[in-house]
Amino acid sequence: MQLSKHLSLAEIMRSETAKRKGISNMPTEEHLANFKLLAEKVFEPIREHFKVPIHISSGYRSKALNTAVKGSLSSQHCSGEAIDIDMDGTSITNAQIFNYIKDNLNFDQMIWEFGTDKNPDWVHVSYESTGKQRKQILKAVKVNGKTSYVPYK
């Protein structure tokens, strides 16, 4: 099943943790509708701009999967409103993806996930299905071994 021209249901459901632990990771109809909106507003514009396949490292997470990966209780991955993009091993950097989204797209939340000051390990981006985008930009850092989110500068 295709959610958009370049995004398939299989891509947003893929999870090694779900496979390993035998966890169902099938989105609801509402969550699929949210992913279609995210694909239209965020994923496809990125794909069209860079003209290369965009690699999703994390898409949908069922509640059981989110618990297994110790995700946030309010994670937008669980409602079909968030994807993580990781372009390692391609001609496009995660920083290029981050800056393109920041400068050109409407989004709810975007996170520079760890990495260095030059390139994040991956980019988290969400699109709120109600249309009320916060345009919140954060940076994930480790503080005393715990993940903390600080405003991106």
Side-chain angles (χ1 to χ4, degrees), residues 31-84:
H31 297 158
L32 288 173
N34 293 346
F35 269 121
K36 286 178 182 175
L37 188 60
L38 177 102
E40 173 194 339
K41 302 294 187 180
V42 178
F43 182 87
E44 288 297 336
I46 296 167
R47 175 68 168 78
E48 291 298 322
H49 175 76
F50 289 102
K51 307 230 181 293
V52 298
I54 303 303
H55 298 218
I56 296 176
S57 58
S58 181
Y60 182 68
R61 288 188 210 143
S62 64
K63 284 191 193 305
L65 178 58
N66 195 56
T67 299
V69 300
K70 296 179 173 59
S72 164
L73 294 176
S74 60
S75 174
Q76 288 177 291
H77 286 281
C78 297
S79 59
E81 296 174 320
I83 55 175
D84 292 343

Side-chain angles (χ1 to χ4, degrees), residues 8-129:
S8 71
L9 175 60
E11 285 176 280
I12 60 118
M13 286 178 54
R14 183 176 47 245
S15 166
E16 292 306 313
T17 303
K19 278 186 206 170
R20 215 173 27 257
K21 297 186 177 244
I23 297 170
S24 171
N25 199 40
M26 178 57 82
T28 66
E29 288 300 318
E30 178 187 349
H31 297 158
L32 288 173
N34 293 346
F35 269 121
K36 286 178 182 175
L37 188 60
L38 177 102
E40 173 194 339
K41 302 294 187 180
V42 178
F43 182 87
E44 288 297 336
I46 296 167
R47 175 68 168 78
E48 291 298 322
H49 175 76
F50 289 102
K51 307 230 181 293
V52 298
I54 303 303
H55 298 218
I56 296 176
S57 58
S58 181
Y60 182 68
R61 288 188 210 143
S62 64
K63 284 191 193 305
L65 178 58
N66 195 56
T67 299
V69 300
K70 296 179 173 59
S72 164
L73 294 176
S74 60
S75 174
Q76 288 177 291
H77 286 281
C78 297
S79 59
E81 296 174 320
I83 55 175
D84 292 343
I85 298 171
D86 186 353
M87 298 301 288
D88 287 354
T90 73
S91 61
I92 307 300
T93 67
N94 291 330
Q96 286 175 290
I97 297 286
F98 182 93
N99 288 316
Y100 176 75
I101 296 168
K102 177 173 65 70
D103 297 339
N104 297 283
L105 301 179
N106 199 11
F107 58 88
D108 186 49
Q109 184 183 68
M110 188 169 58
I111 305 171
W112 179 288
E113 297 275 6
F114 308 105
T116 66
D117 287 341
K118 296 209 181 318
N119 197 50
D121 287 339
W122 71 91
V123 176
H124 167 93
V125 62
S126 68
Y127 191 88
E128 169 47 62
S129 61

